[in-house]
């Protein structure tokens, strides 16, 4: 399986990475600790070498203790540390109502990186993201701190999640940005205007929620019983009756393409972006080994430029309600 360059970092990663969030956060009760560690390690054995986590990815086990996602990732990969690329993030905390509290002050970045290093059980982080842009802190300030962390050997490269062009350019002038991590899927195409910027600056586009929080697997409907207060999917617009109806035409298209390519529906969604640009690296999340294997094998599916253009033309005519966006033609 051919690896992909991770921007300007000099690192190479599996074409599909593993978004580890769901083992601890936002997908129901956290996975049992030992099970989560085992599955993350199984992903490495399958061929994954790019693992994504964040300091804010936490959940509450049934016994009331906290699941720290970074601890799971670090424990699973500790004896293969030199063979994997670990990305984590700082700058976000969740309020009780699930709203975000943003803090990218230099002192916060400093304290966060030390805590992440401790939880991951490592002395360096391969890719360290600013998790969300903090409007109170200038991009140059964040970039300067990241530059110092690189010089100190605490991180190897840095990135910006939910990046916008002006912020990315300003930050990159101070310290070259290796990757952006933005939402991207067939239902969420509003950041495609950043593709030329990524190409110009040699920045990887790490695509989170590439399956639209599970919608593009075709396995969930408005009748799906999600897993209580720790599962955020139940509140997402694509799982309302109206939102699901708006997405049905896309699911039908995916079914047709999957049959033609002898592939799973989710694999078509991933292959579409993998074949579109060589610097796009999707990081779907799953807790099931069979799904992890299926996602990774999407990299083996070839879609021609003509097939991608035909898909995009169909997408241009569709209207979606999807988490992270709004009801509009994408």
């Amino acid at each position: 399986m051919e690896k992909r360059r991770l921007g300007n970092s000099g690192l190479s990663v599996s074409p599909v990475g593993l978004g580890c969030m769901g083992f601890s956060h936002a997908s129901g009760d956290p996975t049992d600790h030992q099970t989560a560690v085992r599955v993350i390690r199984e992903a490495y054995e399958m061929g994954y070498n790019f693992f994504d986590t964040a300091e804010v990815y936490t959940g509450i086990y049934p016994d009331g203790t906290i699941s720290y996602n970074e601890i799971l990732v670090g424990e699973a990969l500790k004896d293969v540390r030199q063979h994997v690329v670990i990305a984590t993030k700082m700058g976000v905390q969740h309020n009780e109502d699930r709203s975000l509290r943003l803090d990218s002050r230099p002192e916060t970045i400093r304290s966060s990186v030390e805590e992440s290093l401790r939880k991951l059980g490592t002395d360096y982080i391969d890719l360290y993201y600013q998790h969300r842009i903090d409007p109170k802190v200038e991009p140059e300030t964040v970039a300067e701190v990241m530059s110092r962390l690189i010089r100190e050997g605490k991180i190897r490269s840095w990135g910006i999640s939910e990046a916008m062009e002006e912020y990315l350019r300003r930050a990159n002038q101070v310290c070259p940005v290796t990757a952006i991590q933005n939402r991207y899927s067939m239902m969420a195409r509003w950041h495609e205007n950043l593709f030329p910027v990524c190409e110009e600056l040699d920045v990887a586009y790490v695509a989170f929620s590439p399956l639209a929080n599970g919608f593009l697997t075709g396995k969930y409907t408005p009748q799906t019983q999600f897993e209580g207060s720790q599962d955020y999917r139940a509140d997402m617009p694509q799982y309302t009756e109206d939102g699901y109806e708006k997405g049905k035409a896309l699911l039908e298209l995916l079914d047709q393409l999957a049959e033609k390519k002898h592939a799973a529906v989710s694999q078509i969604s991933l292959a579409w972006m993998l074949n579109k640009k060589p610097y796009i690296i999707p990081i779907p999340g799953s807790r099931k080994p069979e799904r992890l294997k299926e996602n990774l094998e999407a990299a083996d599916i070839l879609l021609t430029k003509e097939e991608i253009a035909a898909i995009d033309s169909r997408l241009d005519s569709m209207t979606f309600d999807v988490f992270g966006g709004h009801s509009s033609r994408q």
Side-chain angles (χ1 to χ4, degrees):
M1 184 172 292
E2 187 174 348
K3 291 185 177 180
R4 299 202 160 195
R5 290 178 57 251
L6 187 62
N8 52 33
S9 67
L11 300 170
S12 295
V13 297
S14 48
V16 178
L18 177 56
C20 297
M21 179 183 75
F23 290 102
S24 302
H25 180 74
S27 297
D29 286 341
T31 304
D32 167 76
H33 182 96
Q34 292 305 321
T35 301
V37 168
R38 174 179 57 77
V39 174
I40 293 169
R41 181 51 179 256
E42 284 185 32
Y44 169 76
E45 301 293 345
M46 289 176 196
Y48 286 88
N49 83 325
F50 187 31
F51 297 85
D52 183 87
T53 182
E55 66 174 352
V56 76
Y57 295 163
T58 63
I60 308 298
Y61 290 117
D63 66 1
T65 58
I66 298 175
S67 171
Y68 292 101
N69 201 255
E70 289 178 319
I71 290 177
L72 299 177
V73 172
E75 186 174 330
L77 304 173
K78 61 184 177 182
D79 62 335
V80 292
R81 180 67 186 90
Q82 301 301 318
H83 304 291
V84 297
V85 175
I86 296 176
T88 192
K89 314 178 196 71
M90 54 66 55
V92 165
Q93 296 297 327
H94 285 101
N95 297 313
E96 289 187 7
D97 63 358
R98 297 184 183 174
S99 62
L100 301 182
R101 185 167 67 255
L102 308 179
D103 185 356
S104 289
R105 293 173 297 168
E107 59 268 31
T108 300
I109 299 174
R110 282 280 177 184
S111 62
S112 291
V113 76
E114 295 296 343
E115 185 65 11
S116 288
L117 288 168
R118 185 185 70 80
K119 286 190 170 74
L120 288 165
T122 186
D123 56 5
Y124 67 95
I125 294 164
D126 297 289
L127 176 58
Y128 196 47
Y129 289 106
Q130 181 186 21
H131 204 157
R132 292 291 185 273
I133 291 172
D134 181 350
K136 303 183 298 298
V137 181
E138 298 297 324
E140 292 84 359
T141 300
V142 175
E144 179 56 37
V145 179
M146 296 297 187
S147 177
R148 291 175 183 172
L149 292 176
I150 291 171
R151 292 196 297 271
E152 294 167 14
K154 295 182 184 296
I155 67 175
R156 298 177 72 180
S157 62
W158 82 289
I160 305 165
S161 185
E162 294 284 33
M164 306 301 288
E165 180 176 356
E166 180 187 0
Y167 191 95
L168 171 59
R169 288 188 179 279
R170 288 174 59 186
N172 190 74
Q173 287 182 336
V174 175
C175 182
V177 176
T178 286
I180 61 171
Q181 185 182 124
N182 283 20
R183 186 180 297 274
Y184 188 53
S185 73
M186 286 183 166
M187 299 176 76
R189 298 169 58 206
W190 47 83
H191 290 304
E192 287 186 342
N193 64 311
L194 289 174
F195 288 173
V197 184
C198 289
E199 291 164 11
E200 175 191 344
L201 302 180
D202 193 14
V203 171
Y205 191 124
V206 178
F208 76 81
S209 296
L211 299 175
N213 299 100
F215 186 90
L216 296 177
T217 66
K219 299 181 183 300
Y220 302 103
T221 72
Q223 285 71 50
T224 299
Q225 295 296 311
F226 292 106
E227 301 179 38
S229 62
Q230 294 191 74
D231 195 319
Y232 293 2
R233 291 171 292 183
D235 297 328
M236 293 181 179
Q238 62 263 45
Y239 294 122
T240 64
E241 293 288 349
D242 185 54
Y244 186 77
E245 283 299 313
K246 290 180 178 179
K248 281 181 71 173
L250 176 53
L251 292 179
E252 291 170 2
L253 172 61
L254 288 172
D255 280 334
Q256 295 166 11
L257 292 167
E259 183 175 359
K260 177 182 176 182
K261 295 290 182 178
H262 306 289
V265 166
S266 58
Q267 290 179 318
I268 298 298
S269 300
L270 297 172
W272 166 78
M273 64 177 70
L274 286 166
N275 283 275
K276 181 174 283 197
K277 299 290 182 182
Y279 50 81
I280 295 178
I281 305 163
I283 51 167
S286 180
R287 299 186 280 187
K288 299 177 180 179
E290 61 271 23
R291 295 285 84 79
L292 298 179
K293 185 173 185 292
E294 184 177 274
N295 290 341
L296 188 61
E297 290 175 350
D300 297 327
I301 298 172
L302 176 64
L303 294 175
T304 66
K305 291 182 179 179
E306 292 75 19
E307 287 174 319
I308 292 171
I311 293 169
D312 286 352
S313 179
R314 290 286 301 278
L315 293 175
D316 288 341
S317 69
M318 297 178 183
T319 300
F320 305 117
D321 287 344
V322 60
F323 183 72
H326 49 80
S327 181
S328 64
R329 284 184 179 172
Q330 303 303 334

